């Protein structure tokens, strides 16, 4: 009977040892899969092959408070007012950015538009004109 118990104990040790080896292999494989997933996401894809949402290209372009200052400077230089597209072009020229990248241009236009709306609510700037072709000016009564 003791030989059976000893052989069972030895067999259990072997199985536990193999189990630890397999757990280490599984851990290494999971780490590799997580690195592959991160690389795919960085390249713009989810692990299942679907395209991941792209991050905003206009994030982090300006220092804190820099964009409103640039906008006000440009609007003061042009007292007749500026349209949003022309304002975007002037800011791109000032910063030395490429104006032909449509995605970047759209993101920058949205960022500038949000900044103009915030300044309008504070009474710093005003918008005149219809919805499609509006002109932004420095407010006459701040």
């Amino acid at each position: 009977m003791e030989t059976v118990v000893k052989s069972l104990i030895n067999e259990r040790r072997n199985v536990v040892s193999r189990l630890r080896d397999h757990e280490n292999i599984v851990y290494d494989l999971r780490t590799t899969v997580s690195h592959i997933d991160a690389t795919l996401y960085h390249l713009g894809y989810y692990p299942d092959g679907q395209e991941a949402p792209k991050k905003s290209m206009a994030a982090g372009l300006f220092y804190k408070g820099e964009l409103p200052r640039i906008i006000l400077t440009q609007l003061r230089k042009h007292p007749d007012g500026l349209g949003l597209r022309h304002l975007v072009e002037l800011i791109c020229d000032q910063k030395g950015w490429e104006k032909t990248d449509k995605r970047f241009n759209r993101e920058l236009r949205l960022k500038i538009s949000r900044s103009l709306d915030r300044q309008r609510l504070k009474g710093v700037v005003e918008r005149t004109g219809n919805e499609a072709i509006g002109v932004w000016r420095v407010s006459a009564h701040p």
Side-chain angles (χ1 to χ4, degrees):
M1 183 73 145
E2 274 195 38
T3 58
V4 172
V5 171
K6 284 183 182 181
S7 65
L8 283 175
I9 290 172
N10 285 336
E11 183 61 25
R12 183 181 185 287
R13 281 189 196 133
N14 290 337
V15 170
V16 168
S17 175
R18 286 182 19 219
L19 180 63
R20 275 193 220 119
D21 290 341
H22 288 288
E23 285 172 348
N24 288 336
I25 292 170
V26 167
Y27 176 79
D28 290 341
L29 290 174
R30 284 193 177 147
T31 302
T32 302
V33 167
S34 70
H35 289 291
I36 291 171
D37 290 348
T39 303
L40 281 171
Y41 190 75
H42 179 73
L43 294 174
Y45 294 92
Y46 284 120
D48 61 358
Q50 296 291 325
E51 285 193 24
K54 303 215 186 279
K55 293 182 181 177
S56 172
M57 294 180 68
L61 291 176
F62 301 97
Y63 295 110
K64 184 175 177 150
E66 181 184 16
L67 181 58
R69 275 193 308 275
I70 291 173
I71 290 171
L72 283 177
T73 302
Q74 291 296 336
L75 290 177
R76 287 183 183 126
K77 287 180 184 176
H78 300 86
D80 293 336
L82 291 170
L84 182 60
R85 289 184 191 268
H86 189 61
L87 185 59
V88 170
E89 289 175 4
L90 289 172
I91 291 173
C92 282
D93 287 339
Q94 180 179 343
K95 294 293 256 179
W97 294 329
E98 185 66 38
K99 292 186 276 187
T100 58
D101 186 353
K102 289 182 181 180
R103 183 169 166 243
F104 174 75
N105 196 341
R106 185 190 46 160
E107 294 291 332
L108 183 61
R109 199 170 54 245
L110 288 171
K111 188 174 196 73
I112 292 171
S113 177
R114 285 190 299 267
S115 182
L116 284 166
D117 286 338
R118 282 192 296 273
Q119 291 181 38
R120 181 181 49 83
L121 291 174
K122 292 178 185 176
V124 177
V125 298
E126 59 188 10
R127 182 170 189 238
T128 57
N130 62 17
E131 289 296 316
I133 307 169
V135 175
W136 291 93
R137 292 183 177 94
V138 176
S139 182
H141 42 33

